[in-house]
Amino acid sequence: MRKRTNSLTAPDRPSTDTLLDREPALRHCHPAGEGGPQSGARCGSEGDQSMAKPFRRLGVVGRVKRFLMWFMVVYISIPFLVKLCPSIQAKLVFLNFVRLPYFIDLKRPQDQGLNHTINYYLEPEAGLQIGVWHTVPVQMWREAQGKDREWYDATLLNTQPVILYLHGNAGTRGGDHRVQLYKVLSSLGYHVVTFDYRGWGDSDGSPSESGMTSDALFVYTQLKQRISRKPLYIWGHSLGTGVATNLVRRLCDAGSAPDALILESPFTNIREEAKSHPFSMVYRYLPGFDWFFLDAITANDIQFASDENVNHIWCPVLILHAEDDGVVPFHLGKKLYNMAAQSKSLAGHKVQFIPFPPALAYKHKFIYRSPELPHILSDFLGTVHPHA
């Protein structure tokens, strides 16, 4: 009889047959030149590679979600942080900690091309010094070389008019656009006196609206005592326009108005300016914006209410504003002019508004570049410029 074959016995196969051979998806990587005719190394199966792509996509999506989550945490936290610490908002208004340009020696105005300028310090309060620059008319630059403060003070008795310049926030009295304006005004025959408020530049103290106004009043009084009856004009730029209207209101209330007030890139009041500033754009339409941000400014006793001040001023007012101003919007300067033009206290006084079209690209701080500026000032102030 034939011997029956056991049906449960598996057919002969090589002893190397393993689980890896039966499951291709579990095969190990083979270096190039091994494991078959394929050139180059291959890892896993095609299914493994196709499964990796969704995971990579999910990784990118996850990172984006994480970024958005942190962005929302920061976005929501900032209003509460400002509300809980109103001093933060005050720092954003003054920006006195931004001292551009850096590494400038304010004791050496000649390094900025002002070789007919002297630096000195005044003490508006005991133990508080503020830094001052006095630039004489450019016609006197040769004579000014090597002179001391006594000589500069004596020149104030000459016939040339004087401009007290009040700068805006950030930077110092040595900021480039400010220096360029001093040069223009000096070339037109004006003395230019400017200073850094307390807390700015190399001046002592901490900034505040009342402190800035007090410093301006102190410097103005010092000048007025030295020049006697010679014309003294006040020029404010940006945040300095708020200081300027505060100062002129005090002077007018005391019965001693300046000869003229010039406002470059002014705003109506600090709340409207803060609401219109580009930095507020991401929060402007947030519910409670006024409560979070604007009330924090008021909590620091910061108002700069030029719109109220013009109702207490009685001297000629000139407003200069570029239509492409991205820091203080043009409409705020125009609104202030309309208020000044309707002010009863300014009735009978010259109130003029000069706009500069966007094509000129003067923006917030380059009006000094205007070739028309000498004629504008000559017409408004009634002065004759040597180079006009």
Side-chain angles (χ1 to χ4, degrees), residues 65-242:
K65 287 182 177 180
R66 181 177 297 178
F67 170 79
L68 291 176
M69 180 186 72
W70 279 110
F71 176 81
M72 289 304 298
V73 168
V74 173
Y75 179 84
I76 294 172
S77 298
I78 287 176
F80 288 97
L81 186 62
V82 170
K83 189 66 179 178
L84 292 173
C85 304
S87 59
I88 295 175
Q89 189 71 314
K91 292 183 181 297
L92 294 176
V93 171
F94 298 130
L95 291 178
N96 61 304
F97 56 89
V98 179
R99 300 194 175 187
L100 294 172
Y102 294 109
F103 312 115
I104 175 177
D105 186 354
L106 293 170
K107 294 181 176 66
R108 294 179 52 83
Q110 60 268 30
D111 292 347
Q112 311 307 311
L114 296 171
N115 57 2
H116 52 309
T117 299
I118 191 170
N119 174 77
Y120 61 92
Y121 297 89
L122 293 175
E123 193 170 302
E125 296 178 10
L128 179 73
Q129 284 194 334
I130 57 174
V132 184
W133 281 0
H134 174 192
T135 302
V136 297
V138 74
Q139 305 95 300
M140 305 172 65
W141 78 270
R142 289 185 185 276
E143 192 181 354
Q145 303 309 302
K147 297 298 193 298
D148 58 12
R149 183 186 167 188
E150 185 178 353
W151 180 87
Y152 274 84
D153 285 348
T155 63
L156 292 170
L157 296 173
N158 296 340
T159 57
Q160 294 93 340
V162 181
I163 291 179
L164 172 60
Y165 179 80
L166 306 174
H167 69 67
N169 66 355
T172 67
R173 61 190 183 276
D176 183 64
H177 65 283
R178 294 161 187 163
V179 169
Q180 298 307 318
L181 179 63
Y182 311 156
K183 291 178 179 179
V184 170
L185 297 176
S186 172
S187 72
L188 297 177
Y190 297 99
H191 290 267
V192 182
V193 177
T194 187
F195 66 96
D196 278 319
Y197 317 102
R198 62 187 69 188
W200 270 264
D202 58 353
S203 296
D204 299 330
S206 301
S208 67
E209 180 178 0
S210 59
M212 295 166 74
T213 305
S214 295
D215 293 343
L217 179 60
F218 182 82
V219 177
Y220 177 90
T221 303
Q222 292 278 312
L223 285 173
K224 195 65 177 175
Q225 291 172 350
R226 289 188 172 92
I227 68 174
S228 185
R229 298 182 180 180
K230 193 168 61 173
L232 176 53
Y233 309 121
I234 296 173
W235 184 311
H237 172 247
S238 192
L239 190 67
T241 63

Side-chain angles (χ1 to χ4, degrees), residues 350-372:
K350 193 173 187 179
V351 179
Q352 190 173 359
F353 181 80
I354 305 293
F356 296 89
L360 298 173
Y362 293 156
K363 301 184 182 298
H364 183 59
K365 54 188 180 182
F366 302 118
I367 288 177
Y368 71 84
R369 295 176 179 173
S370 173
E372 298 300 318

Side-chain angles (χ1 to χ4, degrees), residues 14-39:
S15 60
T16 57
D17 187 10
T18 65
L19 178 62
L20 291 177
D21 296 319
R22 295 195 298 272
E23 298 294 339
L26 298 178
R27 289 175 185 166
H28 294 290
C29 297
H30 298 282
E34 296 182 12
Q38 295 89 345
S39 60

Side-chain angles (χ1 to χ4, degrees), residues 260-261 315-319 337 340 346-353 376-382:
L261 171 63
C315 70
V317 178
L318 171 64
I319 297 178
Y337 164 72
L346 284 168
H349 294 278
K350 193 173 187 179
V351 179
Q352 190 173 359
F353 181 80
I376 292 169
L377 296 178
S378 178
D379 175 67
F380 180 75
L381 299 174

